[in-house]
Amino acid sequence: MKRIVYREWRIPPGRYWGILGILAVVIGLGGLSALYLEHQGHWVTGMNNFVVWGVPHVFAVFLIIAASGAVNVASIATVFGKGAYQPLGRLSGLLAVALLIGGLLVLVLDLGRPDRLLVALTHYNLRSIFAWNIYLYTGFIALVIAYLWSMADRMGAPFKKLIGLFAFGWRIALTTATGSIFGFLVARQAFDTAFLAPMFIIMSLAYGLAIFVLVLLFSFHEECRPVGDKLLMRLKRLLGLFVAAMLYFTLVYFLTKAYGAKTHGLVDWVLFDGGRYSALFWIGWVLIGALVPLGIIHHPVLGQDRNWIVAACILVVLGGLATLYVLVIGSQAYPLQMFPGHIILESGFFDGVKSETATYRPTIPEFLLGLGGVAVALIITAVGVRVLQFLPESLADAALPADAVYLPTASDRE
Amino acid sequence: MVSGLIPTRAGLILLGLCCALVAQCVLAGDGQCYVRPGSRAAALDDCVAPTAFMRRNHMELIKHQRDATVHQGIRGTRDSLAGCIDCHVSRAADGQPVAVNEKHQFCSACHAFAAVKVDCFDCHAAVPRGAPLSEAAGGMPENDLRRTNQ
Amino acid sequence: MKQQHPEETIDQGRRAWFGLAAGVTAAVAAPGVVLHLADAAPAVGTEGVPVTAAARWGLLIDTNKCLEGCRDCVDACARENGLDRQTKPAAQSSAAWADQRAVWLRKAKLADNLTGRVTNLPLMCQHCEHPPCVDVCPTGASFKRADGIVVVDRHVCIGCRYCMMACPYQARSFIHEAVHDQLTGVPRGKGCVESCNLCVSRRDHGLASTACVDACTAAGHGAIVFGDMKDPASPISLALKAMSSRQLREDLALNTGVRYAGL
């Protein structure tokens, strides 16, 4: 094993500034959308009194949970002693902070009163899981920055294991809390279950790793730095495991909901009668987000091809957005069960008259705001790897450290 | 070049200091009067407290009252915002009240000078509107749309 | 703040007297008659004094008396709170605006799935003892006053809409557009969440009831009773004792301040 050498991302300036320029344009559009939203009010969005959280929240929640998943790559090395992941730790930490900042920006800019952010930071209701999240998010950023210091600075090395362990615990708490934002909502049939917390954790692992692999392969490919096959196969198989676990959690979630008579209608609706929500569930959540990537990953030929692995990662990300669209928006569109045993014939407000679901037609500014958050995450990452030593010079298999505890794995037999 | 820059900078600093001093004096003293002629306040010597005190502390009074009102239900007291507006609103030629946050009106004129954004009128009516529920909540309604219903 | 109101003691006396009168009447008369006592409720509460937990305001809605097609309470609420002044942004479609405009009180018409029995009722914030909206609000803008009224402190509301996600009754509205012609008594503005507040300023000024109750009584329906649920002699307490009533979503154990009879 050789010493790991980290080096700045030295792609040609033209190419680098080109990437930054594109991202800056997307961020600019997102910023303009936020200003437009704030100036006009939320009537310019598809959000209304029934679907109160829309596309911006899909992007925000996706980025936030992906952030906690991205830091897991570092945890695998520090906490679980897998040496091969050790050179990936710095990028993993950077990506986690970047994704979280991107997600939080979207969340904050969608507020009805974003100018009152200071109020949110000075008034706390400790019964609110949302308020807890404010602590958890800021704490996460601070902790991951400390983690990066312990990984990059010789002085920090003795604390690496401890900080790593703490960061791992923190990210579990963070995603538990993010899942609980929905899970604690007793009023809504689709939420109201503690199951959402572990489900969000497993989703975070899949999305975070998929984004990590994409960023890793892109940045290495741009500079012709080597990524060893063995490492890539390990990452790929891990992604497959996370995606399969996600599918399992999806199954159990719907089985739970299908078991209780009071949620029969919900399951019927999401799976079959939900129009675009059903389509997004089957095509987005299940097919694109899980079955196709699993097929690629475990395919004897395609699974060895880097382009196909990249495709699998992209599909997991797209499927993740579809999953959250169904989970966040679909769950609101489905009417509340205010009068069990009754049908509502007329109402002066949306009350699920004749079991109709709420309408939500997202508008362009919502998508631009969400994409702006993605671009913020990417620009932080791009600038980070350019100016600081985040990327290892080589991830060729021979250059990788051995696992701390030798456990024969499937990858070793290849 | 360099020697030319220094006097410019020094001048700018001096100018800035002068502005700050003038602003201080205006804020502390009774430089300009923003009370609109024709408003009820114009006929009074003082606000609910001496003018100099109100200039510096009106926001504290309003904020204190705001929390007492929203959380404890204490209404119709001396420092209510509705009372401020009622007394300070001026009238156009046709007798209609002019919003206190309109250009050159009581609130906006001084706030423009002090460069402080007023948030109140995002939500609060800037003219007396609707019937007050008690005498203390503010004087007589101007354009009482609900009188017929009460 | 320490102003003493001489009427306060007299008030208590009147209250007790009315309570006794109401109690005697209730004991004699059929439960259905009780609801007509609403207009006899005395003024309670005094100006300039902090609200206390001595009272808990609530509503009792007798769905048997709520007429199909009547929307007097809805209109009265809109007028009282300036909601009738809402205007659709010019560029917005009517269908989308219908889902975005604020509604504090609405009428709903339900049919029993088995029997087809039709019920009409007004729906609004249920003023829960354990309100989910208050629990979830990150800044504490959503809060319950000592007298049980659930209110949004718009000065602290950041417009995150989490309370709307949490409310089991869809009782809350988000203000989607800039507002310019609010009533002095009911401040409301873009980017905050709002809902029925049991005509909170009427409470603080010591008025007897709410706009919706007044309208319902004026129309001769008398389907809604307002009052102090902690005062055993109040008309609402007596009516609640006399007739069976339900809470919406009883399963959530929120102990709502709005009760429905005949549902």
Side-chain angles (χ1 to χ4, degrees), chain C residues 204-251:
Chain C
D204 300 337
H205 290 306
L207 271 69
S209 86
T210 64
C212 55
V213 170
D214 282 355
C216 193
T217 309
H221 306 315
I224 322 175
V225 191
F226 170 81
D228 177 3
M229 300 179 20
K230 276 188 179 166
D231 174 5
S234 70
I236 189 170
S237 294
L238 294 168
L240 278 167
K241 219 173 276 174
M243 61 211 299
S244 86
S245 63
R246 286 187 48 194
Q247 310 173 43
L248 301 185
R249 291 293 315 257
E250 286 158 330
D251 59 318

Side-chain angles (χ1 to χ4, degrees), chain A residues 27-219:
Chain A
I27 292 170
L29 290 173
L32 284 176
S33 302
L35 281 177
Y36 178 59
L37 233 79
E38 202 207 340
H39 183 72
Q40 292 286 333
H42 274 65
W43 70 268
V44 297
T45 71
M47 289 179 261
N48 51 48
N49 286 325
F50 319 112
V51 176
V52 301
W53 286 356
V55 164
H57 301 82
V58 169
F59 277 95
V61 173
F62 179 82
L63 288 169
I64 287 167
I65 63 175
S68 55
V71 83
N72 247 70
V73 177
S75 304
I76 294 172
T78 322
V79 181
F80 300 101
K82 303 287 182 203
Y85 286 84
Q86 202 189 313
L88 308 175
R90 294 188 189 180
L91 178 62
S92 146
L94 173 68
L95 200 54
V97 172
L99 288 168
L100 191 66
I101 291 175
L104 287 181
L105 264 181
V106 178
L107 205 59
V108 164
L109 290 176
D110 175 77
L111 292 176
R113 302 288 311 235
D115 51 319
R116 288 200 187 140
L117 190 60
L118 205 63
V119 173
L121 297 173
T122 50
H123 290 68
Y124 280 110
N125 166 26
L126 288 178
R127 274 189 72 83
S128 168
I129 189 70
F130 222 49
W132 278 86
N133 271 292
I134 297 169
Y135 282 119
L136 287 166
Y137 296 154
T138 44
F140 181 81
I141 292 175
L143 204 54
V144 174
I145 289 171
Y147 195 15
L148 283 171
W149 166 75
S150 76
M151 285 190 276
D153 193 318
R154 228 177 265 278
M155 295 228 310
F159 308 105
K160 189 167 92 174
K161 182 101 188 169
L162 188 70
I163 298 178
L165 199 63
F166 204 56
F168 178 68
W170 197 278
R171 62 88 48 216
I172 296 283
L174 190 150
T175 329
T176 303
T178 311
S180 301
I181 287 179
F182 301 97
F184 283 3
L185 295 176
V186 289
R188 295 190 186 260
Q189 296 96 301
F191 302 139
D192 186 26
T193 166
F195 194 75
L196 286 173
M199 188 157 133
F200 269 56
I201 292 178
I202 210 72
M203 279 155 57
S204 82
L205 293 171
Y207 308 155
L209 186 60
I211 293 175
F212 179 84
V213 172
L214 286 174
V215 170
L216 180 78
L217 288 180
F218 176 78
S219 55

